Amino acid sequence: MSELLLSVKNLSVSYDTEAGSLQALRRANLAARAGEVIGIVGESGCGKSTLASALINLLATNARVVEGSVDFNGRDILSLSAEEKRHVRGRHIAMIFQDPMTSFNPVLRLGDQLVDFQDQLDLPQREKRERACAMLARVGIPDPAYNMNRYVHELSGGMRQRVAIAAALLMTPDVLIADEPTTALDVTMEAQIIHLMRELRHDYNGAIIVITHHLGLVGELCDRVYVMYAGQVVEEGSTDDIYHNPRHPYTQALNACDPAHLEEAVATLPTIAGRLPDLVTPPQGCSFVDRCPIATTHCRNAPPAMVEVAAGHHALCHEARR
Amino acid sequence: MSAVFEIRDGAVDLVPPVPVLKRLSPDPALRINILRGINFAIAPGEVLGLVGESGSGKSTLARVMVGLQPMSQGSLAFEGKPLITRQDFSAFRRRGALMFQDPVASLSPRRKVEQLVIEPFVIQGQAPPDLSARAAQLLERVGLPASIGQRYPHELSGGQARRVCVARALALNPSLLIADEPTAGLDVSVQAEILNLMTGLKTDLGLSFLIITHNLAMVRHVSSRIAILYLGRLVELGTTREIFARPAHHYTQSLIASEPQPDPRKRRSDLALKGEIPSVLARPVGCAFHTRCPAVRPLCKTAEPKLAATNAGRATACHYPIT
């Protein structure tokens, strides 16, 4: 197996809110290896953005790490000083955000910003410009020298996302995190960005972590998937296992809701009845119990443990082996 | 039965922004044609899906339909009556509602949900005596508890805000609902709930819908017919089943093939559609799609294809349709 780059161990993060301490992330585990593309899937409020913020050390000011660690290069990056964190961020762990419009400064030329992003490299200015230009060409920007002199508002949505990907890859980070990289785009642009990321993964030996609620993106791009619900990782496995043999009832329900999953048109689409539990006072047993079609009294009382259903396929469910 | 809504030969031209000094003597040739030759009808109880990429003119078309954007030529008719004057549109907006793309932006942040839901009555001067009860009734119809009425829009989730917009659109008992990207930005399970709600309303109230979207997987389950728009032209029209089974236009086929597949075993290695939709400022000569078309031939670069009926209820604008 390839080198382990990043590992999240038993990470719990809470937000201090007026209503009390909101347990956004509860004992989450994740491992990212060189050369693989990982998907983190879940609906709004499941903790996927909190997990991503923890990975790149951008947690909100009211967030508190209750327990656990994020190990990178043999060190827990959560315990680094602010200065050390700044050196890791961008250089070793980079991020692509959902809205590329707001990832760039609107009043600076793109080329100048791409040069600034290489602040930590000890190279002459001219060489940094050349690297930026070559990277723009690599991500499929036509006429990169001309586009270096343009502003972000002059580009289309698809082009902006390409530039954002170029910016993230400039420092050849070990881990690249993409937060909903295609949500703001059309189907055709989405297909092109997926295609680009697939190409890039071949000449890039880091780990790519894709955070999304779009199962189509996961199916097209990821090798392994972590499914999150109510702040917990509820299932982990290969993309094929998660799609064809999901063991957690939430994963099954999520798959069923996706209109792209159904071959034939149906009058009524399946939904997941009920709501997310309140994370200020999470349920004592399984978090999914109120919405689960196969829940038993045992599920209500005892929290489930991660069960290995097959090699590399785990589910947080009492009934995972049924 | 006659159509609920009909648009014939609809066209929209916009004048590009002109520098101040030149505004005194505008150049009449400086007009950008955004939409041309738009023809379709929505039958009672029908859900028509209008599909296209950003920049294809979908939202402009929705604005034209409710009179927010004047047409440069063509005619509109609602339930057989032509829509020409402001009074016509004003009367139409009592019977036809538009749901805007961003639900939170379309709800005033300073008003409670209850006030927002009954706003249509106030605007149309038809305020019923028991407004609170009416608001509660509307909220109940879209599956929200009456207590939501006392909240402000920022206290709602994305799905709830979307439901409030549906409730508001239903206030005046419309016969047509135009929904611009009704599920954009929603989680899949909430998306399914909103779509089921719309399907239920169609069955219960006999509503007709126009759903504007670029999400093919979604439109496939809710609409009975689909119109595909590319750079301001209708390129294909037909029943949903037919279009998905046998797309006739190369654009439609590429669009269907571009849809990401959740099943990793169906991964595609090639790219169905390269490049971007051209700018309306530099519309390609001939067929607008020829710059990206996989089956382009010389004729496509010179002559613009007309939307022609291929068989019953089916039309396509392509010189060499897929057979």
Side-chain angles (χ1 to χ4, degrees), chain A residues 139-187:
Chain A
V139 297
I141 301 279
D143 202 352
Y146 169 66
N147 280 298
M148 290 274 283
N149 287 319
R150 293 174 91 192
Y151 295 94
V152 62
H153 73 268
E154 297 179 278
L155 301 185
S156 68
M159 285 297 163
R160 276 177 208 150
Q161 198 57 285
R162 283 174 195 266
V163 179
I165 292 173
L169 290 179
L170 263 179
M171 303 294 286
T172 50
D174 301 295
V175 179
L176 176 66
I177 304 167
D179 187 5
E180 302 277 9
T182 62
T183 305
L185 305 175
D186 273 330
V187 199

Coordinates of all heavy atoms in Angstrom, one line a residue, chain A residues 139-187:
Chain A
V139 N -3.8 23.2 -16.7 CA -5.2 23.0 -16.4 C -6.1 23.4 -17.5 O -7.3 23.5 -17.3 CB -5.6 23.7 -15.1 CG1 -4.8 23.2 -13.9 CG2 -5.4 25.3 -15.2
G140 N -5.6 23.6 -18.7 CA -6.4 23.9 -19.8 C -6.9 25.3 -20.0 O -8.0 25.5 -20.6
I141 N -6.2 26.3 -19.5 CA -6.6 27.7 -19.8 C -6.0 28.0 -21.2 O -4.7 28.0 -21.3 CB -6.0 28.6 -18.7 CG1 -6.5 28.2 -17.3 CG2 -6.3 30.1 -19.0 CD1 -7.9 28.7 -17.0
P142 N -6.8 28.4 -22.1 CA -6.2 28.8 -23.4 C -5.5 30.1 -23.3 O -5.9 31.0 -22.5 CB -7.4 28.9 -24.3 CG -8.6 29.1 -23.4 CD -8.3 28.5 -22.1
D143 N -4.4 30.3 -24.0 CA -3.6 31.5 -24.0 C -3.3 32.0 -22.6 O -3.7 33.0 -22.1 CB -4.4 32.6 -24.7 CG -3.5 33.7 -25.2 OD1 -2.3 33.7 -24.9 OD2 -4.0 34.6 -25.9
P144 N -2.5 31.1 -21.9 CA -2.2 31.4 -20.5 C -1.5 32.8 -20.2 O -1.8 33.5 -19.3 CB -1.4 30.3 -20.0 CG -0.9 29.6 -21.2 CD -1.9 29.9 -22.3
A145 N -0.6 33.2 -21.1 CA 0.1 34.4 -20.9 C -0.9 35.6 -20.9 O -0.7 36.5 -20.1 CB 1.1 34.6 -22.0
Y146 N -1.9 35.5 -21.8 CA -2.9 36.6 -21.8 C -3.7 36.6 -20.6 O -4.0 37.6 -19.9 CB -3.7 36.5 -23.1 CG -4.9 37.3 -23.1 CD1 -4.8 38.7 -23.2 CD2 -6.2 36.8 -23.1 CE1 -5.9 39.5 -23.2 CE2 -7.3 37.6 -23.1 CZ -7.2 38.9 -23.2 OH -8.3 39.7 -23.2
N147 N -4.1 35.4 -20.2 CA -5.0 35.3 -19.0 C -4.4 35.6 -17.7 O -5.0 36.0 -16.7 CB -5.7 33.9 -19.0 CG -6.8 33.7 -19.9 OD1 -7.8 34.4 -19.8 ND2 -6.7 32.9 -20.9
M148 N -3.0 35.5 -17.7 CA -2.3 36.0 -16.5 C -2.6 37.4 -16.1 O -2.5 37.9 -15.0 CB -0.8 35.8 -16.7 CG -0.3 34.4 -16.8 SD 0.1 33.7 -15.2 CE 1.7 34.5 -14.8
N149 N -2.9 38.2 -17.2 CA -3.1 39.6 -17.0 C -4.6 40.0 -16.8 O -4.9 41.2 -16.8 CB -2.6 40.4 -18.2 CG -1.1 40.4 -18.2 OD1 -0.5 40.6 -17.1 ND2 -0.5 40.2 -19.3
R150 N -5.4 39.0 -16.7 CA -6.9 39.3 -16.5 C -7.3 39.2 -15.0 O -6.5 38.8 -14.2 CB -7.7 38.3 -17.4 CG -7.5 38.6 -18.8 CD -8.2 37.5 -19.6 NE -9.5 37.9 -20.0 CZ -10.4 37.1 -20.5 NH1 -10.1 35.8 -20.7 NH2 -11.6 37.5 -20.8
Y151 N -8.5 39.7 -14.8 CA -9.1 39.7 -13.4 C -10.1 38.6 -13.4 O -10.6 38.1 -14.4 CB -9.7 41.0 -13.1 CG -8.7 42.2 -13.1 CD1 -8.5 42.9 -14.2 CD2 -8.0 42.5 -11.9 CE1 -7.6 44.0 -14.2 CE2 -7.1 43.5 -11.9 CZ -6.9 44.3 -13.0 OH -6.0 45.3 -13.0
V152 N -10.4 38.1 -12.2 CA -11.2 37.0 -12.0 C -12.6 37.1 -12.6 O -13.1 36.2 -13.2 CB -11.3 36.5 -10.5 CG1 -11.9 37.6 -9.6 CG2 -12.0 35.2 -10.3
H153 N -13.2 38.3 -12.5 CA -14.5 38.5 -13.1 C -14.6 38.4 -14.6 O -15.6 38.3 -15.2 CB -15.1 39.9 -12.6 CG -14.5 41.0 -13.4 ND1 -13.4 41.7 -12.9 CD2 -14.8 41.6 -14.5 CE1 -13.0 42.7 -13.7 NE2 -13.9 42.6 -14.7
E154 N -13.4 38.4 -15.2 CA -13.4 38.3 -16.7 C -13.5 36.9 -17.2 O -13.6 36.7 -18.4 CB -12.2 39.0 -17.3 CG -12.1 40.5 -17.0 CD -10.8 41.1 -17.5 OE1 -9.7 40.9 -16.8 OE2 -10.8 41.6 -18.6
L155 N -13.4 35.9 -16.3 CA -13.4 34.5 -16.7 C -14.8 33.9 -16.4 O -15.5 34.4 -15.6 CB -12.4 33.7 -15.9 CG -10.9 34.2 -16.0 CD1 -10.0 33.2 -15.3 CD2 -10.5 34.3 -17.5
S156 N -15.1 32.9 -17.2 CA -16.4 32.1 -16.9 C -16.2 31.2 -15.7 O -15.1 31.0 -15.2 CB -16.7 31.3 -18.1 OG -15.7 30.2 -18.3
G157 N -17.3 30.7 -15.2 CA -17.3 29.9 -14.0 C -16.3 28.7 -14.1 O -15.5 28.4 -13.2
G158 N -16.4 28.0 -15.3 CA -15.5 26.8 -15.5 C -14.0 27.2 -15.5 O -13.2 26.5 -14.9
M159 N -13.7 28.4 -16.2 CA -12.4 28.8 -16.2 C -11.8 29.2 -14.8 O -10.7 29.0 -14.5 CB -12.3 30.0 -17.2 CG -12.3 29.7 -18.6 SD -11.0 28.6 -19.1 CE -11.6 28.0 -20.6
R160 N -12.7 29.9 -14.1 CA -12.3 30.3 -12.7 C -11.9 29.1 -11.9 O -10.9 29.1 -11.2 CB -13.5 31.0 -12.0 CG -13.6 32.4 -12.3 CD -14.9 32.9 -11.6 NE -15.4 34.0 -12.4 CZ -16.6 34.4 -12.5 NH1 -17.6 33.7 -11.9 NH2 -17.0 35.4 -13.2
Q161 N -12.7 28.0 -12.0 CA -12.4 26.8 -11.2 C -11.1 26.2 -11.7 O -10.3 25.7 -10.9 CB -13.6 25.8 -11.3 CG -13.6 24.8 -10.2 CD -13.7 25.4 -8.8 OE1 -12.7 25.9 -8.3 NE2 -14.8 25.4 -8.1
R162 N -10.8 26.3 -13.0 CA -9.5 25.8 -13.5 C -8.4 26.6 -12.9 O -7.4 26.0 -12.5 CB -9.5 25.9 -15.0 CG -10.3 24.8 -15.7 CD -10.3 25.0 -17.2 NE -11.3 24.2 -17.8 CZ -11.1 23.0 -18.4 NH1 -9.9 22.5 -18.3 NH2 -12.1 22.3 -18.9
V163 N -8.5 27.9 -12.8 CA -7.5 28.7 -12.2 C -7.3 28.4 -10.7 O -6.2 28.3 -10.2 CB -7.8 30.2 -12.4 CG1 -6.7 31.1 -11.8 CG2 -7.9 30.6 -13.9
A164 N -8.4 28.2 -10.0 CA -8.4 27.8 -8.6 C -7.6 26.5 -8.4 O -6.8 26.4 -7.5 CB -9.8 27.7 -8.0
I165 N -7.8 25.6 -9.3 CA -7.1 24.3 -9.3 C -5.6 24.5 -9.5 O -4.8 24.0 -8.8 CB -7.7 23.3 -10.3 CG1 -9.1 22.9 -9.8 CG2 -6.8 22.0 -10.4 CD1 -9.9 22.0 -10.8
A166 N -5.3 25.4 -10.5 CA -3.9 25.7 -10.8 C -3.3 26.3 -9.6 O -2.2 26.0 -9.2 CB -3.9 26.6 -12.0
A167 N -4.0 27.2 -8.9 CA -3.4 27.9 -7.8 C -3.1 26.9 -6.7 O -2.1 27.0 -6.0 CB -4.4 29.0 -7.3
A168 N -4.0 26.0 -6.5 CA -3.8 25.0 -5.4 C -2.6 24.0 -5.7 O -1.9 23.6 -4.8 CB -5.1 24.2 -5.2
L169 N -2.5 23.8 -7.0 CA -1.4 22.8 -7.4 C 0.0 23.4 -7.5 O 1.0 22.7 -7.6 CB -1.8 22.1 -8.7 CG -3.0 21.1 -8.5 CD1 -3.3 20.5 -9.9 CD2 -2.7 20.0 -7.5
L170 N 0.0 24.7 -7.6 CA 1.3 25.4 -7.8 C 2.4 25.0 -6.9 O 3.5 24.9 -7.2 CB 1.1 26.9 -7.6 CG 0.8 27.8 -8.8 CD1 0.6 29.2 -8.4 CD2 2.0 27.7 -9.8
M171 N 2.0 24.8 -5.6 CA 3.1 24.4 -4.6 C 3.2 22.9 -4.5 O 3.8 22.4 -3.6 CB 2.7 25.0 -3.2 CG 2.5 26.5 -3.2 SD 4.0 27.4 -3.6 CE 4.8 27.2 -2.0
T172 N 2.6 22.2 -5.5 CA 2.6 20.7 -5.4 C 2.4 20.2 -4.0 O 3.3 19.6 -3.4 CB 3.9 20.1 -6.0 OG1 5.0 20.7 -5.4 CG2 3.9 20.2 -7.5
P173 N 1.2 20.5 -3.4 CA 1.0 20.1 -2.1 C 0.9 18.5 -1.9 O 0.6 17.9 -2.9 CB -0.4 20.7 -1.8 CG -1.0 20.8 -3.1 CD 0.1 21.1 -4.1
D174 N 1.1 18.0 -0.7 CA 0.9 16.6 -0.5 C -0.5 16.2 -0.5 O -0.9 15.1 -0.9 CB 1.6 16.2 0.8 CG 3.1 16.6 0.8 OD1 3.8 16.0 0.0 OD2 3.4 17.5 1.6
V175 N -1.4 17.1 0.1 CA -2.8 16.8 0.1 C -3.5 17.9 -0.5 O -3.3 19.1 -0.2 CB -3.2 16.6 1.6 CG1 -4.7 16.3 1.7 CG2 -2.4 15.5 2.3
L176 N -4.5 17.6 -1.4 CA -5.3 18.6 -2.0 C -6.7 18.4 -1.6 O -7.3 17.3 -1.8 CB -5.2 18.5 -3.5 CG -6.1 19.5 -4.3 CD1 -5.6 20.9 -4.1 CD2 -6.0 19.1 -5.8
I177 N -7.4 19.4 -1.0 CA -8.7 19.2 -0.5 C -9.6 20.1 -1.5 O -9.4 21.2 -1.7 CB -8.9 19.8 0.9 CG1 -8.0 19.0 1.8 CG2 -10.3 19.6 1.4 CD1 -7.8 19.6 3.2
A178 N -10.6 19.4 -2.0 CA -11.6 20.1 -2.9 C -12.9 20.1 -2.3 O -13.6 19.1 -2.1 CB -11.6 19.5 -4.3
D179 N -13.4 21.3 -1.9 CA -14.7 21.4 -1.2 C -15.8 21.8 -2.3 O -15.8 22.9 -2.8 CB -14.6 22.5 -0.2 CG -15.9 22.6 0.7 OD1 -16.8 21.7 0.5 OD2 -16.0 23.5 1.5
E180 N -16.6 20.8 -2.6 CA -17.7 21.0 -3.6 C -17.1 21.7 -4.9 O -17.6 22.7 -5.3 CB -18.8 21.9 -3.0 CG -19.5 21.3 -1.8 CD -20.5 20.3 -2.1 OE1 -20.7 19.8 -3.2 OE2 -21.2 19.9 -1.1
P181 N -16.1 21.1 -5.5 CA -15.5 21.8 -6.6 C -16.4 22.0 -7.8 O -16.0 22.9 -8.7 CB -14.3 20.9 -7.0 CG -14.7 19.6 -6.5 CD -15.5 19.8 -5.3
T182 N -17.5 21.3 -8.0 CA -18.3 21.5 -9.2 C -19.7 21.9 -8.9 O -20.5 22.0 -9.8 CB -18.3 20.1 -10.0 OG1 -19.0 19.2 -9.1 CG2 -17.0 19.6 -10.3
T183 N -20.0 22.2 -7.7 CA -21.4 22.6 -7.3 C -21.9 23.8 -8.0 O -23.0 23.9 -8.4 CB -21.5 22.7 -5.8 OG1 -21.1 21.5 -5.2 CG2 -23.0 22.9 -5.4
A184 N -21.0 24.8 -8.2 CA -21.4 26.1 -8.8 C -21.4 26.0 -10.4 O -21.6 27.0 -11.0 CB -20.4 27.2 -8.4
L185 N -21.1 24.8 -10.9 CA -21.0 24.7 -12.4 C -22.1 24.0 -13.1 O -22.8 23.2 -12.4 CB -19.6 24.0 -12.7 CG -18.4 24.6 -12.1 CD1 -17.2 23.7 -12.4 CD2 -18.1 26.0 -12.6
D186 N -22.2 24.2 -14.4 CA -23.2 23.4 -15.2 C -22.7 22.0 -15.4 O -21.5 21.7 -15.2 CB -23.1 24.0 -16.6 CG -24.1 25.2 -16.8 OD1 -25.1 25.1 -16.1 OD2 -23.8 26.1 -17.5
V187 N -23.6 21.2 -15.9 CA -23.3 19.7 -16.1 C -22.1 19.6 -17.0 O -21.2 18.8 -16.8 CB -24.5 19.0 -16.8 CG1 -24.3 17.5 -16.7 CG2 -25.8 19.5 -16.4

